[in-house]
Amino acid sequence: MLPVTLARLRLARTDGIGPLTFRRLLARHPSPQAAIDAVPGLNPRWQLPSETEAKREMAALAKLGGRFVFLDDPHYPPLLALLPDAPPVLAVMGDASLLAAPAVAVVGARNASSAGRRIAEELAEALAGKGLTIVSGLARGIDTAAHEGALRAGGTVAVLPGGIDVAYPPENAKLLARIAERGAVVAESPLGTAPQNRHFPRRNRIVSGLSLGIVVVEAAHRSGTLITARLGLEHGREVFAVPGSPLDPRCRGSNDLIRQGAHLVETAEDVLDHLPEQPRQGPLFDPARMTDGPAEGGEDEPDGLGPPPEGTAQILDLIGMSPVSVDEVLRRCHLTPPELQAILTELELDGRVELLPGHRVMRSPNG
């Protein structure tokens, strides 16, 4: 019998087993080891990592002073756990208790203006001074400024797009070390993973998932920051934006968020006045359907784990070059809301669809 932690890590690191399937495997089997034992018979394409590989990653993280936090662990961030596609496992360095503390994300442009960086730094410092943890992605520009401001007054959490041992960008390695010492650093990817384009939207969902609200400081149209804001809306989080000059393309996306109903922010009080104690329910946010128990009669249905293989093709057939409501796609397919959300996220990461304001979706012109 493998130790529970080792079994959970092997399950989480199995190619083809995503967050939805991980939840269902744990829900359908009495233990992580039982789920591991069932994997070979469920899908021959799922390749479990060896015990040696899992032990090697566990030892490497321990050597860095970190630990793993699993989705079924009582120490897993409670707000993040509400997401239907919450990461099965997080590598954590630093103060893990910050992941459960009330938090606000401060995000924005990498090529931020000096004024934008100053605003982000001052906002983060003021909010941290009020007892809120500041969450961001350690990117250049606004993210860096937010972390720096938060460190002066309180706690901050950096969410990495690659492995927790890979500083990105490299020039933020010293900042990363300071955050690991005085705040917390988290990563979903295995140790040693170099960041790739597809990792950034996944990182952004963690930034949103850990936070009660997302503050956007400078964001161009079609930027990764707007993906974070959209995910925040889907997760039921409050969205805030700092207004900027209409002549600055770095502010067009954030200004558009305000036009769509985001809270306008000039001071920390503008955030505090509208920050909820708990997230609201978003369009695809359905905790009651995040996991499936055994079928009626008590028998498992292993072939129902995760989105069906034809799910992606089915969804693409329902989406054309003209925007369509995600709710309409949901009505016409045979998937649960979390399954549909997972497929749309993957299609967006692959550049095959575009998720639009107003909870709509369309085929990407280049997809």
Side-chain angles (χ1 to χ4, degrees), residues 3 17 52 138 145 158 160 163 181 184 186 204-205 216-217 274 292 306 324 333-334 344 346 352:
I17 294 182
T52 300
L138 201 75
L160 304 187
E181 182 179 346
V186 301
N204 294 349
R205 91 185 190 286
V216 175
V217 184
H274 298 282
D292 291 340
V324 61
C333 71
H334 302 290
L344 290 178
E346 288 298 324
R352 303 176 72 182

Side-chain angles (χ1 to χ4, degrees), residues 173-218:
K174 290 184 178 179
L175 175 59
L176 179 61
R178 288 168 56 206
I179 295 172
E181 182 179 346
R182 299 174 51 195
V185 180
V186 301
E188 176 181 14
S189 299
L191 270 70
T193 302
Q196 301 176 20
N197 286 341
R198 60 190 176 89
H199 295 147
F200 290 92
R202 294 173 181 169
R203 183 271 312 272
N204 294 349
R205 91 185 190 286
I206 299 175
V207 171
S208 167
L210 290 171
S211 309
L212 290 168
I214 295 96
V215 180
V216 175
V217 184
E218 296 187 345

Side-chain angles (χ1 to χ4, degrees), residues 101-121:
V104 173
V106 179
V107 296
R110 291 190 298 273
N111 63 333
S113 67
S114 58
R117 290 193 297 270
R118 178 181 173 183
I119 291 169
E121 193 168 333

Side-chain angles (χ1 to χ4, degrees), residues 52-363:
T52 300
E53 290 172 309
K55 287 178 179 178
R56 187 181 301 124
E57 185 178 2
M58 290 174 63
L61 181 59
K63 187 175 180 179
L64 292 171
R67 56 172 291 192
F68 287 115
V69 179
F70 293 89
L71 186 56
D72 59 338
D73 190 312
H75 300 293
Y76 194 90
L79 287 186
L80 186 62
L82 293 175
L83 271 59
D85 59 346
V89 61
L90 294 172
V92 182
M93 292 194 302
D95 184 0
S97 68
L98 289 176
L99 304 183
V104 173
V106 179
V107 296
R110 291 190 298 273
N111 63 333
S113 67
S114 58
R117 290 193 297 270
R118 178 181 173 183
I119 291 169
E121 193 168 333
E122 292 178 352
L123 271 175
E125 182 178 5
L127 291 169
K130 296 292 186 179
L132 291 168
T133 297
I134 302 303
V135 181
S136 202
L138 201 75
R140 299 179 181 94
I142 297 301
D143 290 19
T144 295
H147 289 307
E148 292 281 7
L151 284 172
R152 288 204 295 266
T156 188
V157 173
V159 185
L160 304 187
I164 203 167
D165 55 340
V166 180
Y168 189 86
E171 62 262 30
N172 274 353
K174 290 184 178 179
L175 175 59
L176 179 61
R178 288 168 56 206
I179 295 172
E181 182 179 346
R182 299 174 51 195
V185 180
V186 301
E188 176 181 14
S189 299
L191 270 70
T193 302
Q196 301 176 20
N197 286 341
R198 60 190 176 89
H199 295 147
F200 290 92
R202 294 173 181 169
R203 183 271 312 272
N204 294 349
R205 91 185 190 286
I206 299 175
V207 171
S208 167
L210 290 171
S211 309
L212 290 168
I214 295 96
V215 180
V216 175
V217 184
E218 296 187 345
H221 275 306
R222 300 175 60 84
S223 67
T225 301
L226 295 186
I227 292 179
T228 308
R230 175 184 59 74
L231 290 170
L233 289 173
E234 291 184 359
H235 299 157
R237 276 46 170 173
E238 293 295 326
V239 176
F240 306 82
V242 174
S245 169
L247 301 178
D248 189 341
R250 290 172 294 198
C251 299
R252 288 175 183 167
S254 43
N255 286 347
D256 194 45
L257 286 175
I258 296 172
R259 279 192 289 270
Q260 294 178 49
H263 301 291
L264 186 151
V265 174
E266 293 178 322
T267 67
E269 283 67 31
D270 295 325
V271 178
L272 297 170
D273 287 346
H274 298 282
L275 198 66
E277 293 184 3
Q278 293 293 331
R280 295 172 291 103
Q281 183 163 309
L284 287 181
F285 186 73
D286 191 353
R289 302 183 71 174
M290 288 194 294
T291 61
D292 291 340
E296 291 185 11
E299 296 183 1
D300 289 345
E301 296 178 330
D303 58 347
L305 292 172
E310 69 276 10
T312 298
Q314 178 192 14
I315 296 307
L316 280 173
D317 287 343
L318 295 175
I319 300 172
M321 299 304 295
S322 297
V324 61
S325 165
V326 172
D327 291 334
E328 177 63 22
V329 176
L330 181 62
R331 282 193 292 270
R332 295 168 61 188
C333 71
H334 302 290
L335 303 173
T336 66
E339 288 172 341
L340 176 59
Q341 178 174 311
I343 289 175
L344 290 178
T345 298
E346 288 298 324
L347 290 173
E348 183 182 32
L349 297 178
D350 291 339
R352 303 176 72 182
V353 303
E354 295 181 15
L355 293 168
L356 307 172
H359 203 47
R360 299 175 299 156
V361 62
M362 64 177 287
R363 285 279 191 110

